[in-house]
């Protein structure tokens, strides 16, 4: 979180008017018990640590951390080590014998990035010394970048996208408007739409890229649209005993000339949805499983597919839960209930072994890996084709986060809040949509190397100043302070 007044100011000091722990009758000459020092680096919002994703901050943010110090007789000196830069203060007599909890605010200087170790130390009146690294240290510092971008107008917010890398196009649909939009990725301009007399609920390219597979909810059917011929719509009904009067909604083409389709009843929320596989060769649909649960609003089951189209996952975007489907065998796994409801931002990597549902990372067989509380995140996420990096939208771009370490690689500036982030298959490009009818394509660069901070490069206003501010200048105004580093 950025410091509103751009300075490392005192957040507070809590001085406990309680007796010190241990044998307070011991004098300095006989005291062999060292001070007790502890503390923690807070998360970027200055309230809670990140947890599994570590503590990360952008240059210009303010790191808030807490240091607690107590001693059985009294503490004479306290100090900090921030990235190898060390300094300390001697305490006045009025503060020697009481425990203290310091809230320190450290403004991150521009420039450096990498691991920032934060340590605290104290020396009591008898010369006993304790030094510790704070919990959640080292903090990770990341920078901001722009990368190569191409901006263009986009006609509106669509329900579904299908990238056609061979033709350098993006097909998109709006389930309230007939037709299929065609966006030219070479020129970043909207082209002539494909005429379809009905609203399209979802769309996907077949594995060979020759046809566009679409769902037509109002027709209770799916259709194949040849892309290299006349564009005649070959509509195929899949209504039958397996689907009753349910409408097809989301679909993905699978390997081997099949499709996986989810159905739901928008007029009867008490009915659970269904998954059906469709064989284009035989023209038959096969019931796979009931999906979703009765809900106050109709539960829509979305489908993700890996690049090979052999691994798919169907998840309930309203009520939560997901099932893994293997196209080769037609088998579907049990419900993984740990995937939260209300998660519309979901993505799968090219191997089908890594998934990002909102800010939660799942691995092979939908095993939970980690949760991320990303700094400055605006709540729109996607996973990289390689499954190692997560893209998290911000108020002016997106973050790249290394999923294994939780470190923010960089903050990529694009100038708007993305409402969707879509990796373009088989490339190092991202396509991001803005609510105000525009889009941007970003060519990603490899993550830069990040050495640790060097001592002395990150002292900000000085460690002694940070300590003075945390202790409170009014308490120390008439007391001479030592600036000796120990």
């Amino acid at each position: 979180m950025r410091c509103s007044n751009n300075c490392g100011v005192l957040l507070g000091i809590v001085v406990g008017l309680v007796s010190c722990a241990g044998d307070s009758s011991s004098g300095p000459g006989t005291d062999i018990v060292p001070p007790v020092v502890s503390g923690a680096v807070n998360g970027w919002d200055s309230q809670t640590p990140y947890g599994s994703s570590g503590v990360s901050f952008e240059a210009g943010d303010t790191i808030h951390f807490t240091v607690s110090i107590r001693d059985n007789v009294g503490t004479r000196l306290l100090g900090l080590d921030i990235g190898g830069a060390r300094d300390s203060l001697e305490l006045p007599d009025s503060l020697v014998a009481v425990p203290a909890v310091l809230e320190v605010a450290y403004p991150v200087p521009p420039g450096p990035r990498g691991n920032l170790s934060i340590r605290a130390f104290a020396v009591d009146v008898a010369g006993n010394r304790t030094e510790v690294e704070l919990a959640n240290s080292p903090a990770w510092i990341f920078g901001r970048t722009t990368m190569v971008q191409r901006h263009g107008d986009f006609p509106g917010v669509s329900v579904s996208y299908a990238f056609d890398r061979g033709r350098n196009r993006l097909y998109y649909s709006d389930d309230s408007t007939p037709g299929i939009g065609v966006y030219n990725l070479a020129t970043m301009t909207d082209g002539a739409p494909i005429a379809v007399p009905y609203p399209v609920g979802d769309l996907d390219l077949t594995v060979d890229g020759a046809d566009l597979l679409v769902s037509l909810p109002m027709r209770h059917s799916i259709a194949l649209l040849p892309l290299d011929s006349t564009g005649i719509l070959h509509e195929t009904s899949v209504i039958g005993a397996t689907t009753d009067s349910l409408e097809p909604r989301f679909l993905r083409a699978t390997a081997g000339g099949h499709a996986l389709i989810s159905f739901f009843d928008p007029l009867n929320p008490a009915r659970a949805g269904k998954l059906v596989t469709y064989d284009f060769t035989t023209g038959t649909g096969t019931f796979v499983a009931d999906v979703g649960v009765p809900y106050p609003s109709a539960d829509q089951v979305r489908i993700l597919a890996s690049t090979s189209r052999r691994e798919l996952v169907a998840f309930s975007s309203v009520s939560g839960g997901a099932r893994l489907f293997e196209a080769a065998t037609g088998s579907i796994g049990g419900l993984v209930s740990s995937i939260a409801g209300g998660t519309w931002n979901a993505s799968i990597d090219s191997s089908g072994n890594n998934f990002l549902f909102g800010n939660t990372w799942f691995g092979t067989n939908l095993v939970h890996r980690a949760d991320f509380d990303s700094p400055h995140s605006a709540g729109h996420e996607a996973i990289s084709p390689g499954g190692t990096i997560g893209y998290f939208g911000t108020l002016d771009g997106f973050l790249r986060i290394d999923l294994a370490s939780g470190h923010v690689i960089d903050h990529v500036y694009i100038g708007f809040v993305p409402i969707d982030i879509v990796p373009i298959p088989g490339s190092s490009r991202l396509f991001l949509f803005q609510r105000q009818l525009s889009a941007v394509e970003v060519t990603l660069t490899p993550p830069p190397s990040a050495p640790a901070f060097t001592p002395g490069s990150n002292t900000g206003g000085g460690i002694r100043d940070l300590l003075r501010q945390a202790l409170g200048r009014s308490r120390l105004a008439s007391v001479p302070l030592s600036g000796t580093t120990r």
Side-chain angles (χ1 to χ4, degrees):
M1 182 174 71
R2 298 189 183 278
C3 181
S4 59
N5 57 7
N6 197 28
C7 61
V9 298
L10 163 69
L11 292 191
I13 172 171
V14 181
V15 179
L17 300 178
V18 296
S19 62
C20 296
D23 181 8
S24 59
S25 63
S26 299
T30 59
D31 178 27
I32 61 171
V33 180
V36 177
V37 181
S38 62
V41 180
N42 294 328
W44 71 274
D45 62 357
S46 80
Q47 299 298 319
T48 57
Y50 269 94
S52 61
S53 56
V55 282
S56 295
F57 301 89
E58 187 171 356
D61 286 349
T62 297
I63 300 177
H64 299 272
F65 57 92
T66 303
V67 179
S68 299
I69 304 168
R70 61 185 174 86
D71 187 72
N72 62 320
V73 175
T75 303
R76 173 55 66 188
L77 179 145
L78 60 88
L80 297 174
D81 182 316
I82 302 178
R86 303 168 64 87
D87 214 337
S88 58
L89 285 176
E90 287 192 16
L91 296 179
D93 292 339
S94 60
L95 295 180
V96 165
V98 292
V101 178
L102 304 178
E103 301 287 350
V104 183
Y106 170 67
V108 181
R113 63 183 303 273
N115 280 317
L116 175 64
S117 173
I118 300 178
R119 304 177 64 86
F121 57 91
V123 179
D124 66 14
V125 294
N128 301 304
R129 179 188 179 93
T130 300
E131 180 168 341
V132 299
E133 183 166 11
L134 302 189
N136 304 316
S137 171
W140 177 260
I141 311 302
F142 62 94
R144 176 175 290 211
T145 186
T146 55
M147 301 188 183
V148 176
Q149 303 177 18
R150 296 191 305 128
H151 291 250
D153 295 330
F154 194 78
V157 178
S158 59
V159 172
S160 181
Y161 318 108
F163 284 95
D164 187 343
R165 190 182 176 208
R167 301 174 182 85
N168 210 17
R169 295 176 176 177
L170 166 68
Y171 305 105
Y172 61 92
S173 67
D174 180 348
D175 59 359
S176 63
T177 305
I180 298 172
V182 180
Y183 195 79
N184 189 321
L185 294 175
T187 61
M188 295 291 287
T189 57
D190 199 39
I194 298 174
V196 178
Y198 316 105
V200 173
D202 195 14
L203 48 81
D204 189 28
L205 279 176
T206 53
V207 177
D208 60 8
D211 304 293
L212 198 59
L213 176 67
V214 301
S215 66
L216 306 172
M218 293 179 61
R219 296 283 297 172
H220 294 265
S221 64
I222 63 172
L224 273 178
L225 179 65
L227 293 174
D228 292 328
S229 58
T230 60
I232 297 175
L233 194 68
H234 295 276
E235 187 175 345
T236 305
S237 173
V238 292
I239 299 174
T242 57
T243 59
D244 303 319
S245 60
L246 298 177
E247 293 182 0
R249 186 60 180 89
F250 295 100
L251 51 74
R252 285 294 178 266
T254 71
H258 294 77
L260 184 65
I261 312 163
S262 70
F263 290 79
F264 78 112
D265 189 342
L267 302 178
N268 185 5
R271 297 184 63 187
K274 297 181 184 294
L275 278 179
V276 172
T277 57
Y278 184 78
D279 188 322
F280 294 111
T281 302
T282 63
T284 57
T286 304
F287 171 77
V288 176
D290 289 320
V291 291
V293 296
Y295 203 73
S297 61
D299 196 6
Q300 300 189 25
V301 177
R302 303 181 69 197
I303 303 171
L304 304 172
S306 64
T307 301
S308 67
R309 304 303 179 98
R310 293 183 176 89
E311 303 86 12
L312 297 89
V313 60
F315 70 99
S316 302
S317 56
V318 176
S319 63
R323 294 171 181 266
L324 190 64
F325 177 80
E326 296 182 5
T329 61
S331 62
I332 190 165
L335 182 69
V336 178
S337 59
S338 57
I339 295 174
T343 304
W344 282 88
N345 295 301
S347 53
I348 185 174
D349 72 351
S350 59
S351 69
N353 293 321
N354 289 280
F355 313 85
L356 201 60
F357 290 93
N359 64 348
T360 304
W361 174 29
F362 291 84
T364 304
N365 297 321
L366 296 176
V367 174
H368 178 271
R369 297 289 301 273
D371 299 302
F372 299 90
D373 179 18
S374 308
H376 318 296
S377 177
H380 305 282
E381 306 88 10
I383 197 168
S384 67
T388 59
I389 294 174
Y391 308 112
F392 293 77
T394 68
L395 296 177
D396 57 8
F398 63 94
L399 305 173
R400 291 196 297 178
I401 296 182
D402 180 87
L403 296 180
S405 68
H407 288 162
V408 179
I409 298 169
D410 44 30
H411 183 177
V412 182
Y413 176 81
I414 61 174
F416 61 77
V417 181
I419 63 167
D420 207 352
I421 303 175
V422 185
I424 300 177
S427 75
S428 60
R429 297 177 293 164
L430 284 182
F431 202 81
L432 302 100
F433 299 88
Q434 183 187 18
R435 191 176 300 279
Q436 286 75 25
L437 309 183
S438 63
V440 60
E441 180 194 79
V442 177
T443 300
L444 299 170
T445 57
S449 60
F453 272 33
T454 56
S457 68
N458 56 325
T459 56
I463 289 178
R464 275 174 289 164
D465 287 340
L466 294 178
L467 290 169
R468 284 190 176 101
Q469 291 160 6
L471 286 168
R473 290 184 184 276
S474 63
R475 297 292 300 272
L476 305 175
S478 62
V479 180
L481 296 174
S482 169
T484 305
T485 301
R486 303 191 182 184

